């Protein structure tokens, strides 16, 4: 495996050297254009990576908002149930008052 990797690296180095030699023979305006093209390509790749990170951040933020919204709905539902239970207890106590008053001496 190591030999395969080193052979691959050697062939990449040879390709790189050959490419540099070819570019050395190019007219200066073409070299400048090639460099500008590579710089632009790097900037495009950077923008793509930034856009991907922003997309991931946005997705994470949307997920957090959704979870918070669900928690808020659950909390509202819990409060509503507690309020209903409290109202039911008060109603039962009001129903008991006449019986309690009947037991009290007049």
């Amino acid at each position: 495996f190591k030999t395969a990797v080193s052979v691959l690296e050697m062939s990449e180095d040879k390709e790189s050297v050959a490419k540099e030699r070819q570019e050395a023979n190019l007219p200066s305006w073409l070299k400048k254009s090639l460099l500008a093209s590579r710089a632009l390509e790097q900037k495009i790749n950077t923008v793509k990576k930034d856009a991907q990170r922003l997309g991931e951040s946005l997705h994470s933020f949307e997920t957090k908002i959704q979870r918070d919204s669900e928690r808020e709905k659950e909390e509202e539902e819990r409060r509503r149930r507690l309020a209903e239970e409290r109202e039911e207890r008060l109603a039962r106590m009001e129903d008991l008052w006449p019986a309690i008053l009947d037991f009290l001496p007049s």
Side-chain angles (χ1 to χ4, degrees), residues 50-64:
D50 290 347
Q52 182 179 4
R53 282 193 295 267
L54 280 173
E56 291 167 358
S57 294
L58 178 62
H59 177 71
S60 173
F61 185 67
E62 288 172 338
T63 303
K64 183 184 180 309

Side-chain angles (χ1 to χ4, degrees), residues 1-56:
F1 179 74
K2 288 183 181 179
T3 25
V5 170
S6 59
V7 168
L8 182 62
E9 288 173 348
M10 286 175 31
S11 67
E12 287 176 356
D13 289 343
K14 287 180 182 177
E15 287 176 18
S16 178
V17 169
K19 194 175 185 180
E20 287 176 13
R21 285 184 185 155
Q22 285 177 341
E23 290 175 6
N25 295 329
L26 294 175
S28 64
W29 65 269
L30 193 52
K31 287 180 192 175
K32 289 178 184 175
S33 177
L34 189 57
L35 288 173
S37 174
R38 287 180 183 153
L40 185 58
E41 187 176 351
Q42 284 179 338
K43 287 181 182 179
I44 289 170
N45 288 336
T46 301
V47 168
K48 284 180 181 178
K49 288 177 186 174
D50 290 347
Q52 182 179 4
R53 282 193 295 267
L54 280 173
E56 291 167 358

